[in-house]
């Protein structure tokens, strides 16, 4: 388990997450809160395979990670109801840098 600082940005969005997380078996694990405020651990799989060392003397690793979600409820205003999508993918730009404890 390697402690890292990270920055995660949803592609085509201003939404950004940053903080301290852990690399475990190639996956980035970060603390998160649900819409109801309950804490949980969010896992970005295969981050070490997707992220490469930064160029131009910058420190850290960066790359794009695609996360698939199944059975996603989407609100349809026209019907004033929710529709369930079987599968949807979201791409994130991930940067991380290992830190010493």
């Amino acid at each position: 388990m390697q402690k890292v600082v990270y920055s995660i940005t949803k592609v085509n969005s201003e939404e950004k997450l940053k903080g301290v997380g852990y690399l475990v078996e190639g996956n980035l694990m970060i603390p998160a809160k649900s819409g109801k405020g309950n804490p949980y651990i969010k896992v970005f799989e295969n981050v070490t395979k997707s992220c490469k060392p930064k160029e131009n003397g910058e420190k850290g690793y960066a790359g794009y990670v695609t996360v698939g979600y199944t059975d996603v409820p989407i609100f349809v205003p026209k019907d004033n109801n929710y529709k369930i999508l079987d599968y949807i993918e979201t791409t994130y730009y991930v940067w991380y840098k290992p830190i010493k404890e």
Side-chain angles (χ1 to χ4, degrees):
M1 184 163 36
Q2 172 69 52
K3 193 173 193 179
V4 299
V5 291
Y6 67 86
S7 174
I8 300 171
T9 306
K10 195 178 204 180
V11 172
N12 297 327
S13 174
E14 300 277 327
E15 183 180 330
K16 183 182 271 193
L17 304 170
K18 52 186 171 178
V20 177
Y22 293 92
L23 282 178
V24 179
E25 297 178 1
N27 302 322
L28 177 60
M29 303 175 88
I30 65 170
K33 285 197 175 188
S34 71
K36 294 182 179 179
N38 298 324
Y40 70 99
I41 301 296
K42 184 166 180 73
V43 179
F44 290 88
E45 295 182 353
N46 300 317
V47 167
T48 55
K49 290 181 184 177
S50 300
C51 296
K52 304 298 177 205
K54 292 286 284 181
E55 297 178 3
N56 303 330
E58 294 181 44
K59 297 187 189 260
Y61 299 82
Y64 291 93
V65 176
T66 301
V67 178
Y69 298 99
T70 57
D71 300 326
V72 179
I74 302 293
F75 184 72
V76 181
K78 179 175 96 176
D79 301 334
N80 199 27
N81 206 346
Y82 285 89
K83 173 181 157 184
I84 303 294
L85 295 179
D86 294 334
Y87 184 80
I88 190 169
E89 288 185 343
T90 302
T91 302
Y92 296 92
Y93 176 75
V94 176
W95 171 88
Y96 69 89
K97 181 176 106 176
I99 56 175
K100 295 179 182 179
E101 295 186 43

